[in-house]
């Protein structure tokens, strides 16, 4: 019995060695932190013009311009005075005024309560990274 048990243990040990080790978990890309600053909205005269993403500006879309968020990403813009928020897709670069972190369309400005005043303190929180097709 001793002679039979040893080869069985040897085979069992070899089988355990032939199993490839599990891949270590891949670290998730850290989402960019939320930004706080002033928001403004696109004025008249931009409708139909090309944005940095190549698409045409539509004042009735839920889109925005950011200097730092990737084109095609989705962010939630919250007006810190009203608490109202709206999700936007980043399609353009800007704003180019010191202290401003995002330019939104007139539609978004209306929905979050900054259209009448023109600017408002906001928090811009990234929600989703650009998709493969949007990044092209």
């Amino acid at each position: 019995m001793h002679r039979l048990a040893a080869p069985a243990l040897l085979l069992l040990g070899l089988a355990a060695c032939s199993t490839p080790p599990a891949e270590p978990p891949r670290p998730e890309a850290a989402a960019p932190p939320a930004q706080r600053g002033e928001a403004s909205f696109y004025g008249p005269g931009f409708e139909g013009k090309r944005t940095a993403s190549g698409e045409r500006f539509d004042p009735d879309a839920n889109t925005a311009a950011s200097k730092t968020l990737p084109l095609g990403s989705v962010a939630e813009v919250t007006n810190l005075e009203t608490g109202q928020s709206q999700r936007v897709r980043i399609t353009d670069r800007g704003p180019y005024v010191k202290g401003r972190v995002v330019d939104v369309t007139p539609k978004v400005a209306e929905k979050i309560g900054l259209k009448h005043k023109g600017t408002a303190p906001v928090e811009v929180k990234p929600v989703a990274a650009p998709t493969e097709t949007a990044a092209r």
Side-chain angles (χ1 to χ4, degrees):
M1 185 162 142
H2 180 38
R3 288 185 169 179
L4 293 175
L9 288 175
L10 180 61
L11 286 175
L12 187 60
L14 288 176
C17 290
S18 65
T19 304
E23 284 188 37
R26 293 182 184 169
E28 293 291 324
Q35 299 174 319
R36 286 186 175 219
E38 288 286 311
S40 53
F41 67 94
Y42 286 84
F46 288 96
E47 186 170 355
K49 292 192 177 185
R50 294 244 182 233
T51 62
S53 67
E55 62 188 82
R56 296 199 181 272
F57 178 73
D58 177 1
D60 293 322
N62 282 16
T63 58
S66 169
K67 290 179 269 192
T68 58
L69 293 175
L71 294 175
S73 61
V74 175
E76 185 168 282
V77 179
T78 303
N79 182 333
L80 297 174
E81 293 177 337
T82 66
Q84 296 169 298
S85 63
Q86 191 71 38
R87 285 196 177 188
V88 297
R89 189 170 44 87
I90 305 300
T91 59
D92 206 3
R93 291 291 172 224
Y96 297 106
V97 175
K98 187 176 180 176
R100 295 201 186 152
V101 295
V102 69
D103 269 338
V104 298
T105 61
K107 176 185 176 184
V108 172
E110 186 72 41
K111 287 187 172 190
I112 66 172
L114 76 82
K115 193 165 182 185
H116 179 70
K117 190 174 168 188
T119 62
V122 295
E123 179 178 69
V124 180
K125 184 177 179 181
V127 174
T131 61
E132 285 296 317
T133 53
R136 290 182 191 179

